[in-house]
Amino acid sequence: MGNVILIGFMGCGKTTVGLRLSYRLRQAVIDTDKEIEREEKRTIADIFAAEGESFFRELETACLRKLSGNVRNQIISAGGGLPLRAENRALLHEIGQVIYLRAEAETIYERLKNDTTRPLLQGVDPEGKIRKLLGERDQYYAEAADVIIDVDGKTFEQILCEIEQHVG
Ligand code: S3P
């Protein structure tokens, strides 16, 4: 089995699904946000605040380049904005099988309404921000994906079963 990559909007469940899948498939999980925080020795929020979003996007591409060719039989949970760059989408395809966990804006808002760790959703009208970003991004997620799984109203168990039908 090769690498399995989880993509999708913030709050779609990539981290949780990645961890549970890692137990089930006995494969290690890598989270690109955590890799970047470890390398930079600061949080994503601090990186955004100090350097801005485009600097962070460069770090994401650098992180993917490093993973490409160096990881085997792993699960990779990709930051929500990572598939937006064409270069990153190409790298994702090279690295492994890409699974898009697709969620509705309502589901995402309910999960993230009290979250303070996502710089892009802070400030006024987070629900409006989610709708706008999701509207812009869905096409890129779909383009990057080998498999699309709708997660709304499903348990993690159901989502894992669906993923297992496609990998392996
Ligand atoms: C972002 C998603 C976040 C993190 C950063 C930017 C985005 O990752 O990379 O806050 O642009 O969607 P998660 O999807 O893991 O929350």
Side-chain angles (χ1 to χ4, degrees), residues 8-12 14-15 31-33 44-45 48 53 56-57 60 77-82 84 112 117-120 133 137 141:
F9 203 83
M10 295 167 264
C12 71
K14 299 181 296 275
T15 304
D31 183 311
T32 60
D33 286 342
I44 303 286
F48 266 73
E53 182 175 348
F56 174 71
R57 299 298 173 204
E60 284 189 316
S77 172
L82 188 145
L84 303 181
L112 296 186
T117 66
R118 271 77 168 199
L120 294 178
L133 283 176
R137 290 177 171 192
Y141 294 139

Coordinates of all heavy atoms in Angstrom, one line a residue, residues 8-12 14-15 31-33 44-45 48 53 56-57 60 77-82 84 112 117-120 133 137 141, ligand 1:
G8 N -8.8 18.6 2.4 CA -10.2 19.2 2.6 C -10.1 20.4 3.4 O -9.0 20.8 4.0
F9 N -11.2 21.1 3.6 CA -11.3 22.4 4.3 C -11.0 22.2 5.8 O -11.2 21.1 6.3 CB -12.7 23.0 4.1 CG -12.8 24.4 4.3 CD1 -12.4 25.3 3.3 CD2 -13.1 25.0 5.6 CE1 -12.5 26.7 3.5 CE2 -13.2 26.3 5.8 CZ -12.9 27.2 4.7
M10 N -10.5 23.3 6.4 CA -10.4 23.2 7.9 C -11.6 22.7 8.5 O -12.7 23.0 8.2 CB -10.2 24.7 8.4 CG -8.9 25.4 7.9 SD -9.0 27.2 8.3 CE -9.6 27.8 6.7
G11 N -11.4 21.8 9.5 CA -12.6 21.3 10.2 C -13.3 20.1 9.6 O -14.3 19.6 10.1
C12 N -12.8 19.6 8.4 CA -13.5 18.5 7.7 C -13.2 17.2 8.4 O -13.8 16.2 8.1 CB -13.2 18.5 6.2 SG -11.5 17.9 5.9
K14 N -9.7 15.9 8.9 CA -8.5 15.3 8.4 C -7.6 14.7 9.5 O -7.2 13.6 9.4 CB -7.7 16.3 7.6 CG -8.4 16.9 6.4 CD -7.4 17.9 5.6 CE -7.1 19.1 6.5 NZ -8.1 20.2 6.4
T15 N -7.5 15.5 10.6 CA -6.6 15.1 11.7 C -7.2 13.9 12.4 O -6.5 12.9 12.6 CB -6.4 16.3 12.7 OG1 -5.9 17.4 12.0 CG2 -5.4 15.9 13.8
D31 N 1.3 15.2 9.7 CA 0.4 16.3 9.5 C 1.3 17.5 9.0 O 2.3 17.9 9.7 CB -0.2 16.6 10.9 CG -1.2 17.7 10.8 OD1 -0.9 18.8 10.3 OD2 -2.3 17.5 11.4
T32 N 1.0 18.0 7.8 CA 1.9 19.1 7.3 C 1.9 20.3 8.2 O 3.0 20.9 8.4 CB 1.5 19.5 5.9 OG1 0.1 20.0 5.9 CG2 1.5 18.3 4.9
D33 N 0.8 20.7 8.8 CA 0.9 21.8 9.8 C 1.8 21.5 10.9 O 2.6 22.4 11.3 CB -0.5 22.1 10.4 CG -1.5 22.7 9.4 OD1 -1.0 23.3 8.4 OD2 -2.7 22.6 9.6
I44 N 1.3 27.9 13.8 CA 0.8 28.5 12.5 C 0.3 29.9 12.7 O 0.5 30.8 11.9 CB -0.4 27.6 11.9 CG1 0.0 26.1 11.8 CG2 -1.0 28.1 10.7 CD1 0.9 25.8 10.7
A45 N -0.5 30.1 13.8 CA -1.0 31.5 14.1 C 0.1 32.5 14.2 O 0.1 33.6 13.6 CB -1.9 31.4 15.3
F48 N 1.6 33.1 10.6 CA 0.7 34.0 9.9 C 0.8 35.5 10.4 O 0.9 36.4 9.6 CB -0.8 33.6 10.0 CG -1.3 32.7 8.9 CD1 -0.9 31.4 8.8 CD2 -2.2 33.2 8.0 CE1 -1.4 30.6 7.8 CE2 -2.7 32.4 7.0 CZ -2.3 31.1 6.9
E53 N 0.4 35.3 5.1 CA 0.0 34.0 4.5 C 0.9 33.5 3.4 O 1.2 32.3 3.3 CB -1.4 34.1 3.9 CG -2.0 32.8 3.4 CD -3.4 32.9 2.9 OE1 -4.1 33.8 3.2 OE2 -3.8 31.9 2.3
F56 N 3.7 31.5 4.6 CA 3.3 30.2 5.1 C 3.1 29.2 3.9 O 3.4 28.0 4.0 CB 2.0 30.3 5.9 CG 1.4 29.0 6.3 CD1 2.0 28.2 7.2 CD2 0.2 28.5 5.7 CE1 1.4 26.9 7.6 CE2 -0.4 27.3 6.0 CZ 0.2 26.5 6.9
R57 N 2.5 29.8 2.8 CA 2.3 28.9 1.6 C 3.6 28.4 1.0 O 3.7 27.3 0.5 CB 1.5 29.7 0.5 CG 0.1 30.2 1.0 CD -0.8 29.0 1.4 NE -2.1 29.5 1.9 CZ -2.8 28.7 2.7 NH1 -2.5 27.5 3.0 NH2 -3.9 29.2 3.2
E60 N 4.6 25.5 3.1 CA 3.8 24.3 2.7 C 4.4 23.6 1.5 O 4.5 22.3 1.5 CB 2.3 24.7 2.4 CG 1.5 25.0 3.6 CD 0.0 25.1 3.3 OE1 -0.3 25.8 2.3 OE2 -0.8 24.6 4.1
S77 N -1.8 14.1 6.4 CA -2.9 15.0 6.6 C -2.5 16.4 6.2 O -1.5 16.9 6.7 CB -3.3 14.9 8.1 OG -4.3 15.9 8.3
A78 N -3.1 16.9 5.1 CA -2.6 18.1 4.5 C -3.3 19.4 5.0 O -4.5 19.3 5.1 CB -2.7 18.0 2.9
G79 N -2.6 20.4 5.2 CA -3.3 21.7 5.7 C -4.3 22.1 4.7 O -4.2 21.8 3.5
G80 N -5.4 22.7 5.2 CA -6.6 23.0 4.3 C -6.3 23.8 3.1 O -7.0 23.7 2.1
G81 N -5.3 24.7 3.1 CA -5.1 25.5 1.9 C -4.0 24.9 1.0 O -3.7 25.5 -0.1
L82 N -3.4 23.8 1.4 CA -2.3 23.3 0.6 C -2.6 22.9 -0.8 O -1.8 23.2 -1.7 CB -1.7 22.1 1.4 CG -0.4 21.5 0.9 CD1 0.4 21.0 2.1 CD2 -0.7 20.3 0.0
L84 N -4.4 24.3 -3.0 CA -4.8 25.4 -3.8 C -3.7 25.7 -4.9 O -4.1 26.2 -6.0 CB -5.0 26.7 -3.0 CG -6.1 26.5 -1.9 CD1 -6.3 27.8 -1.1 CD2 -7.4 26.0 -2.5
L112 N -16.1 24.5 14.1 CA -15.0 25.5 14.3 C -15.4 26.8 14.9 O -14.6 27.7 15.1 CB -14.3 25.8 13.0 CG -13.5 24.6 12.3 CD1 -12.8 25.1 11.1 CD2 -12.6 23.9 13.3
T117 N -7.5 28.8 16.6 CA -6.1 28.5 16.0 C -6.0 28.7 14.5 O -5.0 28.6 13.9 CB -5.8 27.0 16.3 OG1 -6.7 26.1 15.6 CG2 -5.9 26.7 17.8
R118 N -7.2 29.0 13.8 CA -7.1 29.1 12.4 C -7.2 30.6 12.0 O -8.3 31.2 12.1 CB -8.3 28.4 11.7 CG -8.1 27.0 11.3 CD -8.2 26.1 12.4 NE -8.3 24.7 11.9 CZ -8.7 23.7 12.7 NH1 -9.1 23.9 13.9 NH2 -8.7 22.4 12.3
P119 N -6.1 31.2 11.7 CA -6.0 32.7 11.4 C -7.0 33.1 10.4 O -7.6 34.2 10.5 CB -4.6 32.9 11.0 CG -3.8 31.7 11.2 CD -4.7 30.6 11.5
L120 N -7.3 32.3 9.4 CA -8.2 32.7 8.3 C -9.6 32.9 8.7 O -10.4 33.5 8.0 CB -8.0 31.8 7.1 CG -6.7 31.7 6.4 CD1 -6.7 30.7 5.3 CD2 -6.3 33.1 5.8
L133 N -14.6 31.0 1.3 CA -13.4 30.2 1.0 C -13.8 28.8 0.4 O -13.1 28.4 -0.5 CB -12.6 30.0 2.3 CG -11.8 31.2 2.7 CD1 -11.1 30.9 4.1 CD2 -10.7 31.6 1.7
R137 N -12.7 27.2 -3.1 CA -11.7 26.1 -3.0 C -12.2 24.7 -3.5 O -11.3 23.9 -3.9 CB -11.2 25.9 -1.5 CG -10.4 27.0 -1.1 CD -10.0 26.8 0.4 NE -9.1 27.8 0.9 CZ -8.4 27.6 2.0 NH1 -8.7 26.6 2.8 NH2 -7.6 28.5 2.4
Y141 N -9.9 21.3 -4.5 CA -9.9 20.0 -3.8 C -10.3 18.9 -4.7 O -9.7 17.8 -4.7 CB -10.8 20.1 -2.6 CG -10.5 21.1 -1.5 CD1 -11.5 21.8 -0.9 CD2 -9.2 21.2 -1.1 CE1 -11.1 22.7 0.1 CE2 -8.8 22.1 0.0 CZ -9.8 22.8 0.6 OH -9.5 23.7 1.6
Ligands
S3P1 C1 -5.4 26.6 6.5 C2 -5.7 25.4 7.2 C3 -5.0 25.1 8.4 C4 -3.6 25.7 8.4 C5 -3.7 27.2 8.2 C6 -4.4 27.5 6.9 C7 -6.2 26.9 5.3 O1 -4.9 23.6 8.5 O2 -2.8 25.1 7.5 O3 -4.5 27.7 9.3 O4 -5.8 27.8 4.5 O5 -7.3 26.3 5.0 P1 -6.2 22.6 8.8 O6 -6.9 22.4 7.6 O7 -5.5 21.4 9.3 O8 -7.0 23.3 9.8

